[in-house]
Amino acid sequence: MLNRHARGFFTALFSPFARWLLKIGVSPDAVTVVGTLGVVVGSLVFYPLGQLFWGTLFITAFIFSDVIDGIMARMQHRGGRWGNFLDSTLDRVADGSLFAGLAVWFFTGGANPPIAIAAVVCLVLGMVVSYARAKAEALGFHANVGIAERAERLVSVLVVTGLTGLGLPAVVLFATLCLLAAASLITVIQRIVTVHRQSLAEPEGTATEQPA
């Protein structure tokens, strides 16, 4: 939902920067890789040290690479499968590092196991949300449904984590992660139901089982 409503705004905002990067010879793939590395560093260095606010600012500075590389690819008329594969794969790395960093801090210096466990649950369910769609599309179905897509997950956890670093009660972060986990679980169920309905419409004998 957020992706659809915000895409036009961010495209207009970042297009001049994307055009400049292309002018100086930077490729969309390079932006994808650098952006992911930035998110990983912010998540696995700042967060485990308890720097929730500064870590969030650092991550936010790189998270928009996911928008910029897409703008650059469109400007170059490069909508190929390789770029799509690289972007999707590194998105999973970035998302996983974000929740892993939170879990590490709250299992250790943050001394709040419930938040750490909630972060781990969000990590696992977030991976399943993405996998369900990817597997469905690989089998010829569509599963682009759900109430907890990637943009919503990132915005909610980054905003609340940053505010927690400024003194927001930790219980708010815990509640946010619990709601996010619940929304992710609902999204997984929605995608399973959607694919199941499509499979029922297939002629008998056309379904094939593929390895994961």
Side-chain angles (χ1 to χ4, degrees), residues 120-185:
V120 172
V121 172
C122 285
L123 190 161
V124 173
L125 288 175
M127 296 298 111
V128 178
V129 166
S130 300
Y131 176 80
R133 177 178 174 180
K135 186 64 176 180
E137 291 176 349
L139 294 172
F141 301 113
H142 67 81
N144 188 19
V145 297
I147 61 173
E149 297 185 2
R150 184 172 186 259
E152 285 86 345
R153 298 198 302 269
L154 286 179
V155 169
S156 59
V157 73
L158 284 173
V159 169
V160 177
T161 298
L163 293 176
T164 301
L166 290 177
L168 185 72
V171 68
V172 179
L173 178 57
F174 176 67
T176 300
L177 291 172
C178 288
L179 289 173
L180 184 57
S184 297
L185 178 59

Coordinates of all heavy atoms in Angstrom, one line a residue, residues 120-185:
V120 N 13.0 -11.5 16.5 CA 13.3 -12.7 15.8 C 12.1 -13.2 15.1 O 12.2 -13.7 13.9 CB 13.9 -13.8 16.8 CG1 14.0 -15.1 16.1 CG2 15.2 -13.3 17.4
V121 N 10.9 -13.2 15.7 CA 9.7 -13.6 15.1 C 9.4 -12.8 13.9 O 9.0 -13.3 12.8 CB 8.5 -13.6 16.1 CG1 7.2 -13.8 15.4 CG2 8.7 -14.5 17.3
C122 N 9.6 -11.5 13.9 CA 9.4 -10.6 12.8 C 10.4 -11.0 11.7 O 10.0 -10.9 10.5 CB 9.6 -9.1 13.2 SG 8.3 -8.4 14.1
L123 N 11.6 -11.3 12.0 CA 12.6 -11.7 11.0 C 12.1 -12.9 10.3 O 12.2 -12.9 9.0 CB 13.9 -11.9 11.7 CG 15.2 -12.1 10.8 CD1 16.5 -11.9 11.7 CD2 15.3 -13.5 10.2
V124 N 11.7 -13.9 11.0 CA 11.3 -15.2 10.4 C 10.1 -15.0 9.5 O 10.0 -15.4 8.4 CB 11.1 -16.3 11.5 CG1 10.5 -17.5 10.8 CG2 12.4 -16.6 12.2
L125 N 9.1 -14.3 10.1 CA 7.8 -14.2 9.3 C 8.0 -13.3 8.1 O 7.4 -13.4 7.1 CB 6.7 -13.6 10.2 CG 6.2 -14.6 11.3 CD1 5.2 -13.9 12.2 CD2 5.5 -15.8 10.6
G126 N 8.9 -12.3 8.3 CA 9.2 -11.4 7.1 C 9.8 -12.2 6.0 O 9.5 -11.9 4.8
M127 N 10.7 -13.1 6.3 CA 11.3 -14.0 5.2 C 10.2 -14.9 4.6 O 10.2 -15.1 3.4 CB 12.4 -14.9 5.9 CG 13.6 -14.1 6.4 SD 14.5 -13.2 5.2 CE 14.2 -11.5 5.8
V128 N 9.3 -15.4 5.4 CA 8.2 -16.2 4.9 C 7.3 -15.4 4.0 O 6.9 -15.9 2.9 CB 7.5 -16.9 6.0 CG1 6.3 -17.7 5.4 CG2 8.4 -17.8 6.8
V129 N 7.0 -14.2 4.4 CA 6.2 -13.3 3.5 C 6.8 -13.2 2.1 O 6.1 -13.3 1.1 CB 6.0 -11.9 4.2 CG1 5.4 -10.9 3.1 CG2 5.1 -12.0 5.4
S130 N 8.1 -12.9 2.1 CA 8.7 -12.7 0.8 C 8.8 -14.0 0.0 O 8.6 -14.1 -1.2 CB 10.1 -12.1 1.0 OG 10.1 -10.9 1.7
Y131 N 9.2 -15.1 0.8 CA 9.3 -16.4 0.1 C 8.0 -16.9 -0.5 O 8.0 -17.4 -1.6 CB 9.8 -17.4 1.1 CG 9.9 -18.8 0.5 CD1 11.0 -19.2 -0.3 CD2 8.9 -19.8 0.7 CE1 11.0 -20.4 -0.9 CE2 8.9 -21.0 0.1 CZ 10.0 -21.4 -0.7 OH 10.1 -22.6 -1.3
A132 N 6.9 -16.7 0.2 CA 5.6 -17.1 -0.3 C 5.3 -16.5 -1.6 O 4.8 -17.2 -2.6 CB 4.5 -16.8 0.7
R133 N 5.6 -15.2 -1.8 CA 5.3 -14.5 -3.1 C 6.2 -15.0 -4.1 O 5.8 -15.3 -5.3 CB 5.4 -13.0 -2.9 CG 5.3 -12.3 -4.2 CD 5.3 -10.8 -4.0 NE 5.3 -10.1 -5.3 CZ 5.4 -8.7 -5.4 NH1 5.5 -8.0 -4.3 NH2 5.3 -8.2 -6.6
A134 N 7.5 -15.2 -3.8 CA 8.5 -15.6 -4.8 C 8.2 -17.0 -5.3 O 8.3 -17.3 -6.5 CB 9.9 -15.5 -4.2
K135 N 7.9 -17.9 -4.3 CA 7.5 -19.3 -4.7 C 6.3 -19.3 -5.6 O 6.2 -20.1 -6.5 CB 7.4 -20.1 -3.5 CG 7.2 -21.6 -3.7 CD 8.4 -22.2 -4.4 CE 8.3 -23.7 -4.6 NZ 9.5 -24.3 -5.2
A136 N 5.3 -18.5 -5.2 CA 4.0 -18.5 -6.0 C 4.3 -18.1 -7.4 O 3.8 -18.7 -8.3 CB 3.0 -17.6 -5.3
E137 N 5.1 -17.0 -7.5 CA 5.4 -16.5 -8.9 C 6.2 -17.5 -9.7 O 6.1 -17.6 -10.9 CB 6.1 -15.2 -8.8 CG 5.1 -14.1 -8.3 CD 5.8 -12.7 -8.0 OE1 7.1 -12.7 -8.1 OE2 5.1 -11.7 -7.8
A138 N 7.1 -18.2 -9.0 CA 7.9 -19.2 -9.7 C 7.0 -20.4 -10.2 O 7.4 -21.0 -11.2 CB 9.0 -19.8 -8.7
L139 N 5.9 -20.6 -9.6 CA 5.0 -21.7 -10.0 C 3.9 -21.2 -10.9 O 3.0 -21.9 -11.3 CB 4.3 -22.3 -8.8 CG 5.3 -23.1 -7.8 CD1 4.6 -23.5 -6.6 CD2 5.8 -24.3 -8.6
G140 N 4.0 -19.9 -11.3 CA 3.0 -19.3 -12.2 C 1.8 -18.7 -11.6 O 0.8 -18.4 -12.3
F141 N 1.7 -18.6 -10.3 CA 0.6 -18.0 -9.6 C 1.0 -16.5 -9.3 O 2.1 -16.1 -9.5 CB 0.3 -18.7 -8.3 CG -0.1 -20.1 -8.4 CD1 0.8 -21.1 -7.9 CD2 -1.2 -20.5 -9.1 CE1 0.4 -22.4 -8.1 CE2 -1.6 -21.8 -9.2 CZ -0.7 -22.8 -8.7
H142 N 0.1 -15.8 -8.7 CA 0.4 -14.4 -8.2 C 0.0 -14.4 -6.7 O -1.0 -15.0 -6.3 CB -0.3 -13.3 -9.0 CG -1.8 -13.3 -8.9 ND1 -2.5 -12.7 -7.8 CD2 -2.8 -13.8 -9.6 CE1 -3.8 -12.9 -7.9 NE2 -4.0 -13.5 -9.0
A143 N 0.8 -13.7 -5.9 CA 0.5 -13.6 -4.5 C 0.9 -12.2 -4.0 O 1.4 -12.1 -2.8 CB 1.3 -14.7 -3.7
N144 N 0.6 -11.2 -4.8 CA 1.0 -9.8 -4.4 C -0.2 -9.3 -3.6 O -0.8 -8.3 -3.9 CB 1.2 -9.0 -5.6 CG 1.8 -7.6 -5.2 OD1 2.3 -7.4 -4.1 ND2 1.6 -6.6 -6.2
V145 N -0.4 -9.9 -2.4 CA -1.5 -9.5 -1.5 C -1.0 -9.4 -0.1 O 0.1 -10.0 0.2 CB -2.7 -10.4 -1.6 CG1 -3.3 -10.4 -3.0 CG2 -2.3 -11.8 -1.2
G146 N -1.7 -8.8 0.8 CA -1.3 -8.8 2.2 C -1.3 -7.4 2.8 O -1.2 -6.4 2.1
I147 N -1.4 -7.4 4.1 CA -1.5 -6.1 4.8 C -0.1 -5.7 5.3 O 0.0 -4.6 5.9 CB -2.4 -6.2 6.0 CG1 -2.0 -7.3 7.0 CG2 -3.8 -6.5 5.5 CD1 -2.8 -7.3 8.3
A148 N 0.9 -6.5 5.2 CA 2.3 -6.2 5.7 C 3.3 -6.4 4.7 O 4.1 -7.3 4.7 CB 2.6 -7.0 7.0
E149 N 3.3 -5.5 3.7 CA 4.4 -5.5 2.6 C 5.7 -4.9 3.2 O 5.7 -4.3 4.3 CB 3.9 -4.9 1.4 CG 2.7 -5.6 0.8 CD 2.3 -5.0 -0.6 OE1 3.0 -4.0 -1.0 OE2 1.3 -5.4 -1.2
R150 N 6.7 -5.0 2.4 CA 8.0 -4.6 2.9 C 8.1 -3.1 3.4 O 8.7 -2.8 4.4 CB 9.1 -4.8 1.8 CG 10.5 -4.5 2.3 CD 11.6 -4.9 1.3 NE 12.9 -4.7 1.8 CZ 13.7 -3.7 1.6 NH1 13.3 -2.8 0.7 NH2 14.9 -3.6 2.1
A151 N 7.5 -2.2 2.6 CA 7.6 -0.8 3.0 C 7.0 -0.5 4.3 O 7.6 0.2 5.1 CB 6.9 0.0 1.9
E152 N 5.8 -1.1 4.6 CA 5.2 -0.9 5.8 C 6.0 -1.5 7.0 O 6.1 -0.8 8.1 CB 3.8 -1.6 5.8 CG 2.7 -0.9 5.0 CD 2.7 -1.2 3.6 OE1 3.7 -1.9 3.1 OE2 1.7 -0.9 2.9
R153 N 6.6 -2.6 6.8 CA 7.4 -3.2 7.8 C 8.6 -2.4 8.2 O 8.9 -2.1 9.3 CB 7.9 -4.6 7.4 CG 6.8 -5.6 7.2 CD 7.3 -7.1 7.2 NE 8.3 -7.3 6.2 CZ 8.1 -7.8 5.0 NH1 6.8 -7.9 4.5 NH2 9.1 -8.0 4.2
L154 N 9.3 -1.9 7.1 CA 10.5 -1.1 7.4 C 10.2 0.3 8.0 O 10.8 0.7 9.0 CB 11.2 -0.8 6.0 CG 12.0 -2.0 5.4 CD1 12.6 -1.6 4.1 CD2 13.0 -2.5 6.4
V155 N 9.2 1.0 7.5 CA 8.8 2.3 8.1 C 8.4 2.2 9.5 O 8.9 2.9 10.4 CB 7.7 2.9 7.3 CG1 7.2 4.2 8.0 CG2 8.2 3.3 5.9
S156 N 7.6 1.2 9.9 CA 7.1 1.1 11.3 C 8.3 0.8 12.2 O 8.4 1.4 13.3 CB 6.0 0.0 11.4 OG 6.5 -1.2 10.9
V157 N 9.1 -0.2 11.9 CA 10.2 -0.6 12.8 C 11.2 0.5 12.9 O 11.8 0.7 14.0 CB 10.8 -1.9 12.4 CG1 11.7 -1.8 11.2 CG2 11.5 -2.5 13.6
L158 N 11.6 1.2 11.8 CA 12.6 2.2 11.9 C 12.2 3.4 12.7 O 12.9 3.9 13.5 CB 13.0 2.6 10.4 CG 13.9 1.6 9.7 CD1 14.1 2.1 8.2 CD2 15.3 1.5 10.4
V159 N 10.9 3.9 12.4 CA 10.4 5.0 13.2 C 10.4 4.8 14.7 O 10.9 5.6 15.5 CB 9.1 5.5 12.6 CG1 8.4 6.5 13.6 CG2 9.2 6.0 11.2
V160 N 9.8 3.7 15.1 CA 9.7 3.4 16.5 C 11.0 3.1 17.1 O 11.3 3.5 18.3 CB 8.7 2.2 16.7 CG1 8.6 1.9 18.2 CG2 7.3 2.6 16.1
T161 N 11.9 2.4 16.4 CA 13.3 2.1 17.0 C 14.0 3.4 17.2 O 14.7 3.6 18.2 CB 14.0 1.2 16.0 OG1 13.4 -0.1 15.9 CG2 15.5 1.0 16.6
G162 N 14.0 4.3 16.2 CA 14.7 5.6 16.4 C 14.1 6.4 17.5 O 14.9 6.9 18.3
L163 N 12.8 6.4 17.7 CA 12.2 7.1 18.8 C 12.5 6.5 20.2 O 12.7 7.1 21.2 CB 10.7 7.2 18.6 CG 10.2 8.1 17.5 CD1 8.7 8.0 17.3 CD2 10.7 9.5 17.7
T164 N 12.7 5.1 20.2 CA 13.1 4.4 21.4 C 14.5 4.9 21.8 O 14.7 5.0 23.0 CB 13.0 2.9 21.1 OG1 11.7 2.5 20.8 CG2 13.4 2.1 22.4
G165 N 15.3 5.1 20.8 CA 16.6 5.6 21.1 C 16.6 7.0 21.7 O 17.6 7.4 22.4
L166 N 15.5 7.7 21.5 CA 15.4 9.1 22.1 C 14.7 9.1 23.4 O 14.4 10.2 23.9 CB 14.7 10.0 21.1 CG 15.5 10.4 19.8 CD1 14.7 11.2 18.9 CD2 16.8 11.1 20.2
G167 N 14.3 7.9 23.9 CA 13.6 7.9 25.2 C 12.2 7.4 25.2 O 11.5 7.3 26.2
L168 N 11.6 7.0 24.0 CA 10.3 6.4 23.9 C 10.3 5.1 24.7 O 11.2 4.3 24.6 CB 9.9 6.1 22.5 CG 8.5 5.7 22.2 CD1 7.5 6.8 22.5 CD2 8.3 5.1 20.8
P169 N 9.3 4.9 25.6 CA 9.3 3.6 26.4 C 9.4 2.4 25.5 O 8.8 2.3 24.4 CB 7.9 3.7 27.0 CG 7.6 5.1 27.1 CD 8.2 5.7 25.9
A170 N 10.3 1.5 25.9 CA 10.6 0.3 25.2 C 9.3 -0.6 24.9 O 9.3 -1.3 23.9 CB 11.6 -0.6 25.9
V171 N 8.3 -0.4 25.7 CA 7.1 -1.2 25.5 C 6.4 -0.8 24.2 O 5.7 -1.6 23.6 CB 6.1 -1.0 26.7 CG1 5.6 0.5 26.8 CG2 5.0 -2.0 26.7
V172 N 6.6 0.4 23.7 CA 6.0 0.8 22.5 C 6.7 0.0 21.3 O 6.0 -0.4 20.4 CB 6.2 2.3 22.2 CG1 5.6 2.7 20.9 CG2 5.5 3.1 23.4
L173 N 8.0 -0.1 21.4 CA 8.7 -0.9 20.4 C 8.2 -2.4 20.4 O 8.0 -3.0 19.4 CB 10.2 -0.9 20.6 CG 11.1 -1.7 19.7 CD1 10.8 -1.3 18.2 CD2 12.6 -1.5 20.0
F174 N 8.1 -2.9 21.7 CA 7.6 -4.3 21.8 C 6.2 -4.4 21.2 O 5.9 -5.4 20.4 CB 7.5 -4.7 23.3 CG 6.9 -6.0 23.5 CD1 7.6 -7.2 23.1 CD2 5.7 -6.2 24.2 CE1 7.1 -8.4 23.3 CE2 5.2 -7.4 24.4 CZ 5.9 -8.6 24.0
A175 N 5.3 -3.5 21.4 CA 4.0 -3.6 20.9 C 4.0 -3.5 19.4 O 3.3 -4.2 18.7 CB 3.1 -2.4 21.5
T176 N 4.9 -2.6 18.9 CA 5.0 -2.4 17.4 C 5.5 -3.7 16.7 O 4.9 -4.1 15.7 CB 6.0 -1.3 17.1 OG1 5.5 -0.1 17.6 CG2 6.1 -1.1 15.6
L177 N 6.5 -4.4 17.3 CA 7.0 -5.6 16.8 C 5.9 -6.7 16.9 O 5.8 -7.5 15.9 CB 8.3 -6.0 17.5 CG 9.5 -5.1 17.3 CD1 10.6 -5.6 18.3 CD2 10.0 -5.2 15.9
C178 N 5.2 -6.7 17.9 CA 4.1 -7.7 18.1 C 3.0 -7.5 17.0 O 2.6 -8.5 16.3 CB 3.5 -7.7 19.4 SG 4.5 -8.3 20.8
L179 N 2.6 -6.3 16.8 CA 1.7 -6.0 15.7 C 2.2 -6.3 14.4 O 1.5 -6.8 13.5 CB 1.3 -4.5 15.8 CG 0.4 -4.1 17.0 CD1 0.2 -2.6 17.0 CD2 -1.0 -4.8 16.9
L180 N 3.5 -6.0 14.2 CA 4.1 -6.3 12.9 C 4.2 -7.8 12.6 O 3.9 -8.3 11.5 CB 5.5 -5.7 12.9 CG 6.3 -5.8 11.6 CD1 5.6 -5.2 10.4 CD2 7.7 -5.2 11.7
A181 N 4.5 -8.6 13.7 CA 4.5 -10.0 13.6 C 3.1 -10.6 13.2 O 3.0 -11.4 12.4 CB 5.0 -10.7 14.9
A182 N 2.1 -10.0 13.9 CA 0.8 -10.5 13.6 C 0.4 -10.1 12.2 O -0.3 -11.0 11.5 CB -0.2 -9.8 14.6
A183 N 0.7 -8.9 11.7 CA 0.4 -8.5 10.4 C 1.1 -9.4 9.4 O 0.5 -9.8 8.3 CB 0.7 -7.1 10.2
S184 N 2.4 -9.7 9.7 CA 3.1 -10.6 8.8 C 2.5 -12.0 8.7 O 2.4 -12.6 7.6 CB 4.6 -10.7 9.2 OG 5.2 -9.4 9.2
L185 N 2.1 -12.5 9.8 CA 1.4 -13.8 9.8 C 0.1 -13.8 9.0 O -0.1 -14.7 8.2 CB 1.1 -14.2 11.3 CG 0.4 -15.6 11.5 CD1 1.2 -16.7 10.9 CD2 0.1 -15.9 12.9

